[in-house]
Amino acid sequence: MKQVLIESYGTPWEVARCADVPDVGAPAADEVVFDVMAFPINPADMGFCRGTYRLRPPLPATPGAECVGRVTAVGVQVGHVKPGDLVINLQRENWAQKRKVKGEDAIPLPAGIDLRQAAMVRINPPTAALMLSDFVELKGGDWVIQNVANSAVGRLLIVLAHQRGLRTVNVVRRPELAEELKQLGADLVMVDGDDLPARVARETGGAPIRLGVEAIGGKATGRLCDCVASDATVVHYGSMSGQNPDVSRNNFTYRGVKLTGFMLGRFLARRSAQKIREIYADLGGQVMAGKLFAPVDTVYSIDKIKDALAHADRGGRNGKILVSPNGAI
């Protein structure tokens, strides 16, 4: 079988290669084997290849935080999935043609779900959903502000917030994104800048914003903190700038703003296996119904992983880069 390996850390398309490795073999009693139908290339995967991600396993290593697979075999103790089912995998190392994992890590998705969309269900949809639910008790009409609003998580957050009757301020870098995001349900779309807090206050009529979501770091975190109300919460879930958050201490000492962080695995770990399956069943159903959607730019074969990684690093894409290890999808 084929599997992507990195044998040193560095430029992703230089250090990653498609290798021939032994087959995963038959499952043990509590295991599941599945063919990987598709996986996306996420920013965290690029950081993993570069050696800048929080995880730096011994090399050689296989990247891949998410994928969708079709079950080919299950152990005798596994009862929640069967051969032919589509699953996502809660474990890593998914850039391969086949995976063998513990049964509890294989989460079923609805039959007939679009494989390209299913490949992106594991991380971004629950990230958006849990950031809206786990920090601040929000009700219809409340405002939420986020930056990186054109990202996959940002777009999903717009849709999920709109479903709940929440209003969103969406901070972007390019003004031409406004109409597209408004079609998803965004209430306000604003270009980032030093005067962002004043513009947000003006456009919202000074309404209190109790939840902020940000993934840039540096001074962008500070600007978002300046936009929210006293005693509000700002959730930091990524650092596109590579910088630590730069926030005025006045926000903490005088206004009581809380800056906290989100990592999906940590928040899923607070929930039972059954609850996790329920979360993904709901999100998978919304994907099936067309309510949640993430654009895809290009799908590559696994032997073109170097080209796929180089493409994923370029700007101007119209969606996510996917790889299909077992034939076209």
Side-chain angles (χ1 to χ4, degrees):
M1 58 174 258
K2 295 184 183 300
Q3 182 170 324
V4 176
L5 298 177
I6 61 169
E7 289 155 323
S8 63
Y9 292 114
T11 303
W13 52 94
E14 294 177 354
V15 299
R17 67 182 181 93
C18 181
D20 290 314
V21 301
D23 189 88
V24 297
D30 61 346
E31 291 179 330
V32 171
V33 173
F34 61 84
D35 289 337
V36 176
M37 307 309 294
F39 61 78
I41 297 177
N42 293 321
D45 299 317
M46 301 293 279
F48 182 95
C49 293
R50 289 188 170 99
T52 58
Y53 189 58
R54 63 182 182 85
L55 299 176
R56 286 175 60 97
L59 300 177
T62 295
E66 65 181 331
C67 70
V68 62
R70 191 177 300 280
V71 175
T72 58
V74 301
V76 295
Q77 296 176 4
V78 177
H80 68 288
V81 294
K82 63 185 184 304
D85 286 350
L86 290 175
V87 294
I88 54 176
N89 175 27
L90 296 182
Q91 294 302 312
R92 295 178 175 271
E93 301 182 13
N94 291 308
W95 289 10
Q97 285 187 307
K98 294 183 180 182
R99 292 287 281 120
K100 181 168 66 175
V101 301
K102 293 294 186 182
E104 63 189 16
D105 290 323
I107 307 297
L109 292 180
I113 190 171
D114 179 82
L115 290 177
R116 297 184 181 203
Q117 295 301 309
M120 301 179 284
V121 165
R122 156 81 169 92
I123 294 177
N124 291 333
T127 293
L130 297 185
M131 287 195 297
L132 284 174
S133 68
D134 281 22
F135 293 94
V136 177
E137 188 174 339
L138 299 169
K139 61 182 185 301
D142 285 347
W143 284 93
V144 176
I145 186 170
Q146 67 164 338
N147 57 25
V148 200
N150 189 47
S151 67
V153 170
R155 286 167 168 264
L156 290 163
L157 188 142
I158 291 170
V159 173
L160 292 169
H162 186 69
Q163 289 177 3
R164 293 179 51 183
L166 304 174
R167 294 181 287 181
T168 57
V169 180
N170 300 278
V171 183
V172 297
R173 290 179 294 179
R174 295 180 285 134
E176 61 268 24
L177 295 169
E179 186 56 38
E180 188 175 351
L181 296 185
K182 286 182 177 179
Q183 289 179 6
L184 294 175
D187 295 279
L188 293 173
V189 181
M190 311 185 76
V191 177
D192 204 354
D194 290 340
D195 62 342
L196 180 68
R199 287 184 285 126
V200 169
R202 183 171 63 248
E203 294 297 323
T204 61
I209 301 175
R210 297 170 52 229
L211 177 64
V213 175
E214 92 89 23
I216 297 178
K219 293 187 181 299
T221 312
R223 288 193 292 273
L224 211 75
C225 286
D226 290 343
C227 292
V228 300
S230 295
D231 299 313
T233 297
V234 173
V235 181
H236 175 76
Y237 72 99
S239 181
M240 290 184 61
S241 68
Q243 300 172 347
N244 290 323
D246 184 354
V247 183
S248 165
R249 65 177 180 271
N250 292 342
N251 278 310
F252 305 133
T253 55
Y254 301 133
R255 300 207 304 121
V257 172
K258 294 175 283 294
L259 177 63
T260 187
F262 179 89
M263 186 179 74
L264 180 61
R266 187 159 54 91
F267 281 74
L268 287 178
R270 300 175 179 179
R271 293 162 161 88
S272 67
Q274 181 58 37
K275 184 58 180 178
I276 292 171
R277 291 173 194 167
E278 290 174 2
I279 289 171
Y280 282 111
D282 174 66
L283 294 170
Q286 293 201 52
V287 171
M288 284 280 287
K291 295 178 181 179
L292 298 180
F293 175 84
V296 173
D297 186 296
T298 308
V299 181
Y300 287 84
S301 61
I302 194 169
D303 60 313
K304 298 292 185 182
I305 188 63
K306 291 181 178 292
D307 294 338
L309 286 163
H311 193 171
D313 197 56
R314 294 199 298 268
R317 289 184 285 105
N318 295 313
K320 191 71 78 174
I321 301 300
L322 302 185
V323 176
S324 57
N326 285 287
I329 56 170

